[in-house]
Amino acid sequence: MKKIITVGREFGSGGREIAKLVAEKLGIAYYDKELITLAAKEGGYDPEIFEKVDERATNSFLYSLSMGNFVVDGNANITRELPLADKLHLAQTETIRKLAQRESCVIVGRCANYLLREERGCVRVFLYGEKEQKIKRVQERYGLSREKAESLIKKTDKTRANYYSYYTGENWADMRNFDLALNSSTLPFDAVAETIVDFVKRKERAAR
Amino acid sequence: MKKIITVGREFGSGGREIAKLVAEKLGIAYYDKELITLAAKEGGYDPEIFEKVDERATNSFLYSLSMGNFVVDGNANITRELPLADKLHLAQTETIRKLAQRESCVIVGRCANYLLREERGCVRVFLYGEKEQKIKRVQERYGLSREKAESLIKKTDKTRANYYSYYTGENWADMRNFDLALNSSTLPFDAVAETIVDFVKRKERAAR
């Protein structure tokens, strides 16, 4: 049976590392940033633009929403193009659905839990963590002061919550949109990944 | 090492059954309603009053809060006694702390996750479920119409949320107050219990 695991995560909770471990342990594909490039290719867009939009979306999602361009056609009608952020989201949505159809995989972020909520065999995971541990991790990874790390966590999670709620109409970190929500500060990352793997296997057995 | 597992749960999510399975699998004590009697005994109160207060608290927590009695002393000073609901909560709080000191156990409800949040080796679990499945379960268990089951779920969870937030100042179903939050509709109850047991064991190994 196909295994699809979506991973939502708080910034600094180790979500990417844990998601990669899950993919490794299950021997299946892993997608996060790679997804963007893939979406760009499949949508026929210039990958470079996609990278830029995504960067902007990460820094200020609401700003990127206002980037729709006005288009004047031959009859001097003015219409507004779909903002780049929306185009990117649409292309990603399509790609996520195609990936889930095609192969077993772990997909990080991008509202994948929402997009694939009806998919049989999909396990939707959310990872969060204790504030102090997240700050410490972000400080170490990016070489930031405590204050800057704290502010980056706040800003990034706010952007993720805005993005999620804009495209799904739901609350980003509401556990009811997930099958399994784990505090990654409770266990070592490898043990968190094992917990997810076991959950996936148990679900598979139950579906038989 | 002592194992303490607190279980918060949505009404109809199978929380009690799952918590009992966890206690069985780990071979440790299980407490929920029993806790009330125990609290009554340890606090020297009449167990019967406790049963009644608790019943009232379940039906209308805010009503029970208004039940404090006025007391007139020998000098005609009027003071207000601590409401029964508060007395009960204090006795339960003390009992939960004593139990956690004394033995490995599973404790359902009663803000135990909040009370024992600093306890080493405590795993705080929250169980929730899909609306349709919860309704079906409550209908079957209590022989209710769909409409009445839905209304009972709403009312009970609202009472639990009020109770939790009154005594802890926090949101009842905020996953950040838990180590592990599970959608009990995803797996059979036994597999949910196994997931919790494995998590507890992994935490124990990590602490060594």
Side-chain angles (χ1 to χ4, degrees):
Chain A
M1 199 170 119
K2 211 166 46 190
K3 293 174 185 74
I4 310 290
I5 299 111
T6 69
V7 179
R9 75 295 179 214
E10 286 183 347
F11 188 65
S13 70
R16 278 170 58 111
E17 291 96 313
I18 293 166
K20 273 184 191 161
L21 284 170
V22 170
E24 271 173 39
K25 283 173 195 289
L26 289 170
I28 62 179
Y30 165 88
Y31 295 102
D32 58 7
K33 283 257 168 168
E34 293 90 300
L35 193 63
I36 299 160
T37 316
L38 203 70
K41 281 179 193 159
E42 297 200 3
Y45 295 96
D46 176 359
E48 224 179 299
I49 293 173
F50 271 65
E51 293 286 346
K52 274 179 198 152
V53 179
D54 189 57
E55 200 60 36
R56 218 180 288 136
T58 305
N59 291 331
S60 166
F61 174 63
L62 291 174
Y63 169 77
S64 70
L65 278 181
S66 68
M67 293 294 287
N69 296 318
F70 291 100
V71 180
V72 187
D73 70 14
N75 298 319
N77 292 320
I78 299 176
T79 52
R80 195 160 182 177
E81 256 199 321
L82 201 58
L84 277 178
D86 283 356
K87 281 188 189 166
L88 176 63
H89 179 75
L90 281 175
Q92 284 175 342
T93 297
E94 215 174 295
T95 308
I96 287 172
R97 292 218 167 97
K98 276 185 195 160
L99 287 170
Q101 286 304 318
R102 194 177 72 192
E103 60 176 341
S104 289
C105 57
V106 176
I107 303 175
V108 176
R110 315 283 139 189
C111 312
N113 67 306
Y114 179 84
L115 299 172
L116 303 175
R117 67 196 180 286
E118 307 285 352
E119 188 77 24
R120 215 173 142 264
C122 174
V123 170
R124 302 158 302 159
V125 179
F126 191 86
L127 297 168
Y128 53 100
E130 302 296 334
K131 194 179 165 190
E132 285 309 312
Q133 294 200 32
K134 290 189 295 179
I135 290 173
K136 208 178 146 224
R137 195 168 301 127
V138 171
Q139 277 195 273
E140 281 167 9
R141 196 197 299 160
Y142 299 100
L144 295 176
S145 68
R146 190 193 147 81
E147 202 182 291
K148 285 204 171 149
E150 200 173 344
S151 139
L152 182 62
I153 290 170
K154 214 170 164 180
K155 203 175 152 192
T156 309
D157 282 349
K158 184 100 176 66
T159 303
R160 287 179 183 170
N162 285 342
Y163 183 89
Y164 190 88
S165 122
Y166 180 82
Y167 285 117
T168 71
E170 310 235 349
N171 281 332
W172 173 56
D174 184 346
M175 61 179 154
R176 288 178 186 82
N177 296 322
F178 301 92
D179 298 304
L180 178 63
L182 283 161
N183 184 336
S184 70
S185 305
T186 308
L187 293 178
F189 284 177
D190 196 71
V192 175
E194 274 176 18
T195 302
I196 297 167
V197 167
D198 283 353
F199 190 89
V200 171
K201 290 184 176 164
R202 287 201 173 102
K203 192 179 173 185
E204 210 170 28
R205 275 200 298 275
R208 260 178 220 150
Chain B
M1 199 171 119
K2 210 166 44 190
K3 294 175 183 72
I4 309 290
I5 299 111
T6 70
V7 179
R9 75 294 180 215
E10 285 184 346
F11 189 65
S13 70
R16 278 171 58 111
E17 291 96 311
I18 294 166
K20 273 184 192 160
L21 285 170
V22 170
E24 271 173 41
K25 282 174 197 289
L26 289 171
I28 62 178
Y30 164 87
Y31 295 102
D32 57 7
K33 285 255 169 168
E34 293 90 300
L35 192 63
I36 298 159
T37 316
L38 204 69
K41 283 179 193 160
E42 297 201 2
Y45 295 96
D46 175 2
E48 223 180 297
I49 293 173
F50 271 67
E51 293 286 345
K52 275 180 198 151
V53 179
D54 189 56
E55 200 59 35
R56 217 181 289 137
T58 305
N59 292 331
S60 166
F61 174 63
L62 290 176
Y63 168 75
S64 70
L65 278 182
S66 68
M67 293 293 287
N69 295 315
F70 291 100
V71 179
V72 186
D73 69 15
N75 298 319
N77 291 319
I78 300 177
T79 52
R80 195 161 183 178
E81 256 198 321
L82 202 58
L84 278 177
D86 283 355
K87 280 187 192 168
L88 176 63
H89 179 74
L90 281 175
Q92 284 175 342
T93 298
E94 216 175 293
T95 309
I96 288 172
R97 291 217 167 99
K98 276 184 194 162
L99 288 169
Q101 284 306 317
R102 194 177 72 192
E103 60 177 340
S104 289
C105 57
V106 177
I107 303 174
V108 176
R110 317 280 141 188
C111 311
N113 68 305
Y114 178 82
L115 299 172
L116 302 175
R117 67 197 183 285
E118 305 285 354
E119 189 77 21
R120 216 172 141 262
C122 174
V123 171
R124 301 159 303 160
V125 178
F126 191 85
L127 297 167
Y128 54 101
E130 300 298 333
K131 194 179 164 188
E132 285 309 312
Q133 294 201 33
K134 289 189 296 179
I135 291 173
K136 208 176 146 226
R137 195 168 300 127
V138 171
Q139 278 196 271
E140 282 167 10
R141 196 197 299 162
Y142 300 99
L144 296 175
S145 69
R146 191 193 147 81
E147 203 182 287
K148 285 206 171 148
E150 198 172 346
S151 141
L152 182 61
I153 290 171
K154 215 170 165 179
K155 204 177 151 192
T156 309
D157 282 350
K158 183 100 173 67
T159 303
R160 286 178 182 171
N162 285 343
Y163 182 90
Y164 190 89
S165 123
Y166 180 80
Y167 286 118
T168 70
E170 310 235 347
N171 281 331
W172 173 56
D174 183 346
M175 62 179 151
R176 289 175 186 85
N177 296 321
F178 300 93
D179 299 304
L180 177 64
L182 283 161
N183 185 335
S184 70
S185 306
T186 308
L187 293 178
F189 284 178
D190 196 72
V192 175
E194 274 176 18
T195 302
I196 297 168
V197 167
D198 284 353
F199 191 89
V200 170
K201 288 184 179 165
R202 285 197 175 105
K203 193 181 171 185
E204 211 171 28
R205 276 201 295 277
R208 262 177 218 150

